[in-house]
Amino acid sequence: MPFQLLSADAINTATVGEQQVSRKGQKFSEIRFSGNQPCFQLSAEALYSPFKAGVYQGTGQETRVNLDLQITDDLFNVLSLFDHHFEKELKKLAPKANYHKLIQEPEGDYPARIRLKVNATGPMAARLWRPDQTMLGDIRSVNTMGTRVIAIVCFTKAWYMGSLAGVTAELRHGVIYEADAPDDVFPLA
C-alpha cells in the first residue's frame, strides 16, 4: 500500500498553524503531520458513494466539487478522534467559532459519511483510476453515484467562516469501483 492507512496514531502528530488570510480574504490555517502534508488512505476497503460528486445547485462547470462517502464503523471511530482533536485546536485560534465536524452524523436511513473536497482541474486536480489502473477523466465526468471508492486524502487546512470553523479533507487520488449494473440498461428488457 503506497499510502499510509489513516489511523488514530496520526492525530498525535497533527498541528494546526497560525491563522492566515488568503488573497481572496478567506481565513485559514495550514494542517501538518510531523511537519508535512501527507496523503492518507481513508479505509482499507472501498467506501460507498451515494451521490454523484457535485455542488448543490451547481452548473456542472465548478472546478471544486464535493464527494460524499459513507464511512465504516472503524473509520467513524478514527474520524471521531480527529474531530475531537481539531475542535480543541481550532477553539484556541477561533474561540467563538462552532466546529463543523468531518463526520456527517447518521440521519434516518442515511449512514454516517464524510464530505471530501475534490479539485476538478489544475495542478491539484484529483487523479481518478479504475482498478485495472486505467485513468478516468476529471471528477465532473465520472458518475460516482452508486460506486465504491478507495479514497486517498490530504487534510489541507482549517478554515474559518463567520461563526464556523472546520477542516478540509481533500481527495487527491481515488480508485473507482463502478456499480454492479450499468445505469443505461433498461431493467425490463
Side-chain angles (χ1 to χ4, degrees), residues 21-41:
V21 179
S22 73
R23 293 179 309 222
K24 295 181 180 179
Q26 174 69 46
K27 292 181 184 177
F28 72 97
S29 298
E30 287 187 348
I31 294 176
R32 301 276 179 187
F33 293 82
S34 298
N36 298 308
Q37 276 195 331
C39 290
F40 296 97
Q41 183 172 326

Side-chain angles (χ1 to χ4, degrees), residues 2 15 22 34 36 40 65 67 71 73 78 86-87 108 126 128 137 156 165:
T15 57
S22 73
S34 298
N36 298 308
F40 296 97
V65 297
L67 176 64
I71 59 177
D73 291 340
V78 170
F86 286 131
E87 182 174 19
L128 303 175
T156 55

Side-chain angles (χ1 to χ4, degrees), residues 87-101:
E87 182 174 19
K88 187 175 67 173
E89 291 300 309
L90 295 183
K91 273 290 181 206
K92 295 175 188 174
L93 298 168
K96 294 181 180 178
N98 293 317
Y99 178 71
H100 185 271
K101 293 182 178 185

